[in-house]
Amino acid sequence: MTVNILPKVPTLRRGYRFQFEPAQGCHVLLYPEGMIKLNDSAAEILKRVDGASSVGGIVAELQASFPGAEGIEEDILAFVEVAVERFWIELR
């Protein structure tokens, strides 16, 4: 993705729902055709996808929450890029 996505606001794609699934013991992304099990890092990012926070705001919040995590901005941007490519989220 060559466009600066930091000012963009991510939203879950229509029909997708983020939730904790006790039976799976993890956060998941539900959609009409199935379910995606998420690792802890992906869940921390998607917890902050609220339709109001920008990608940059999410990066700043996670950097503050996990100050010792090196390369966190790159990891978040890589996840957002994959989530957009897989149509899990949209950027406005």
Side-chain angles (χ1 to χ4, degrees):
M1 207 174 276
T2 58
V3 175
N4 179 12
I5 64 170
L6 292 176
K8 303 273 188 186
V9 176
T11 58
L12 289 178
R13 188 166 180 222
R14 183 181 166 110
Y16 283 62
R17 188 173 73 234
F18 171 74
Q19 68 181 43
F20 184 79
E21 185 61 50
Q24 301 295 327
C26 63
H27 283 89
V28 298
L29 193 56
L30 299 172
Y31 60 103
E33 297 84 27
M35 174 182 70
I36 302 157
K37 288 184 184 181
L38 301 167
N39 65 27
D40 291 340
S41 298
E44 285 298 326
I45 296 166
L46 287 179
K47 281 178 191 176
R48 291 159 174 84
V49 173
D50 58 9
S53 300
S54 68
V55 172
I58 292 169
V59 168
E61 187 176 333
L62 286 168
Q63 286 174 324
S65 296
F66 302 98
E70 291 186 31
I72 192 169
E73 180 174 357
E74 293 80 14
D75 292 344
I76 295 165
L77 296 177
F79 173 80
V80 169
E81 186 173 323
V82 168
V84 168
E85 289 172 358
R86 295 184 181 173
F87 304 106
W88 300 347
I89 63 173
E90 298 171 339
L91 297 176
R92 303 188 272 117

